[in-house]
Amino acid sequence: MNQENMSKVQKMTLSAMIMAIYVVLVYITQGFSFGAYQIRIATSVYALAYLFPFLVLPLGLANSISNMLFGGLGILDTVGGGLAGILTAFIIAGIRKAGINRAFIVLPIIFVPGLLVPVWLSYILNIPYAALAVSLCIGQIIPAICGAAVVSALARVWGIDSAEKRRKSKETVV
């Protein structure tokens, strides 16, 4: 599956499906998605922006919807979570565009939500920023590894690595 060959309708359909997967994952795992360590398995879906950069905005919207439906911490968390999702997915899409090894997608999944979300959660929950940042970063390790594993598997199945290598070799020859 190659995003360059996808129509607008296909991209919108895939975006809606990925958003639904994100929201359902948050619903199923809400018992620990909003806990002290916030192991939000759904954030592993951000990794798909590596393969499909058009998912950047839909992933942020999915985060906002999830926070609004299940988080219960108000508009600040709804908007902030969406912005954190957009930034995370944007960085992941940028990793591919820059030609950086896809293993590095674990870093934005861990550190963007882990360091950004506590900015407003510390205010809302009246808990020190550092304590929240440490717990959120720890909680993001599992989703980050899962996301990287899914992207690696999909890249192998769809032959994305070999297609990119062929394209780069043609560029250097020409």
Side-chain angles (χ1 to χ4, degrees):
M1 184 178 286
N2 188 344
Q3 80 163 6
E4 287 82 24
N5 298 333
M6 294 176 75
S7 70
K8 288 182 182 181
V9 171
Q10 288 172 319
K11 288 179 180 180
M12 286 177 29
T13 303
L14 183 62
S15 296
M17 291 186 332
I18 297 301
M19 288 175 65
I21 288 169
Y22 186 100
V23 173
V24 167
L25 281 172
V26 171
Y27 176 74
I28 291 170
T29 62
Q30 64 184 312
F32 52 88
S33 289
F34 297 98
Y37 284 101
Q38 283 202 11
I39 303 171
R40 189 178 279 196
I41 299 299
T43 59
S44 62
V45 178
Y46 290 148
L48 294 177
Y50 181 87
L51 301 172
F52 305 106
F54 62 85
L55 290 175
V56 169
L57 291 175
L59 286 166
L61 183 57
N63 187 312
S64 288
I65 292 168
S66 297
N67 285 357
M68 182 176 55
L69 293 175
F70 313 118
L73 293 178
I75 191 72
L76 191 56
D77 192 40
T78 299
V79 173
L83 292 174
I86 289 169
L87 181 59
T88 304
F90 180 77
I91 292 169
I92 291 168
I95 287 172
R96 180 172 180 189
K97 186 172 178 135
I100 299 170
N101 187 303
R102 73 173 162 259
F104 284 94
I105 65 177
V106 299
L107 297 177
I109 294 173
I110 293 170
F111 293 111
V112 174
L115 299 176
L116 190 57
V117 172
V119 169
W120 60 87
L121 282 189
S122 63
Y123 170 76
I124 293 170
L125 302 174
N126 199 24
I127 297 173
Y129 170 85
L132 279 172
V134 168
S135 69
L136 277 134
C137 286
I138 290 170
Q140 287 300 111
I141 293 171
I142 293 170
I145 293 169
C146 290
V150 166
V151 166
S152 290
L154 290 174
R156 274 193 301 279
V157 168
W158 292 334
I160 289 172
D161 290 334
S162 57
E164 285 183 357
K165 286 178 185 174
R166 283 192 304 272
R167 189 181 77 239
K168 286 181 183 177
S169 68
K170 286 181 183 179
E171 289 172 0
T172 56
V173 171
V174 176

